[in-house]
Amino acid sequence: MHVVPPPHLDEHATVIAAEADDVWRGLCAELERSFSRVPAAVYARLVGADDTRSAGPRPLAEGSAFPGFRVLVASPGEQLTLQGRHRFSSYLLIFRLEPDGPGRTRLRAESRAAFPGRAGRAYRRVVFGSGGHAVGMRRLLAGVRRASERPGRCTVGCPWYAYRLPDPPLPRKRPSGPF
């Protein structure tokens, strides 16, 4: 059975100075960090989302879930497709990782959604018309970039010994002069 995807809404992209495997780990970590917090769970319950808590395999794989989303496709280093549904919308969020030169990866985030009925149209005006969705996507991609460009830094679900302490500050040079 072939399911027709919801209509295309928008796409955001960023180029990250990291290999696809590092970007994949950064993407999964940032999604867990962003959507596994209490405000995301509260919002998912308020709108009647199908998934309201984290569940399933970790690291993210097909069948994993967190508030508002379920992993539909997980192809490490290539694509992560999230699916969700609530009272006002059914939606897909598709992340694609593409090589963009040596040591660089382009991360694209495509949003697709259907907003049935009068309430759905009103919800679309609030979320997309206000620019809130675009702001949220830019923040999410910036977080993935930060997490991916810091190799060796563990962000989610790591043993205590895997966390790297920040480098100590460099000593300041004392000005030369009579004082």
Side-chain angles (χ1 to χ4, degrees):
M1 180 172 117
H2 178 69
V3 178
V4 177
H8 174 84
L9 291 174
D10 68 1
E11 185 171 308
H12 301 267
T14 187
V15 175
I16 300 172
E19 297 294 335
D21 289 340
D22 292 326
V23 175
W24 177 263
R25 282 189 291 277
L27 173 62
C28 291
E30 186 62 19
L31 288 169
E32 289 277 13
R33 189 190 70 74
S34 297
F35 293 106
S36 295
R37 293 183 172 173
V38 172
V42 169
Y43 182 77
R45 282 193 298 275
L46 283 173
V47 296
D50 288 351
D51 296 293
T52 58
R53 65 175 64 119
S54 294
R58 294 299 188 266
L60 294 180
E62 291 177 16
S64 298
F66 44 87
F69 297 96
R70 177 165 297 280
V71 177
L72 191 62
V73 175
S75 181
E78 295 176 13
Q79 180 176 326
L80 180 67
T81 301
L82 307 177
Q83 178 182 35
R85 186 174 59 152
H86 55 67
R87 277 192 285 273
F88 310 110
S89 177
S90 59
Y91 45 91
L92 292 174
L93 186 52
I94 305 163
F95 295 96
R96 292 185 179 92
L97 291 77
E98 304 161 344
D100 193 60
R104 293 166 50 99
T105 304
R106 178 178 299 278
L107 175 61
R108 295 187 305 132
E110 177 187 2
S111 300
R112 295 179 157 269
F115 301 90
R118 203 178 272 179
R121 287 190 299 275
Y123 182 81
R124 179 180 180 156
R125 276 194 300 275
V126 168
V127 172
F128 285 89
S130 68
H133 172 77
V135 169
M137 291 306 298
R138 284 194 299 267
R139 282 185 183 165
L140 180 66
L141 292 179
V144 173
R145 187 181 330 105
R146 282 190 303 274
S148 303
E149 290 178 347
R150 293 187 225 157
R153 177 158 183 204
C154 193
T155 54
V156 173
C158 301
W160 65 270
Y161 53 81
Y163 288 91
R164 202 179 96 200
L165 295 174
D167 294 330
L170 295 173
R172 291 184 358 184
K173 272 189 162 179
R174 298 189 110 166
S176 60
F179 299 103

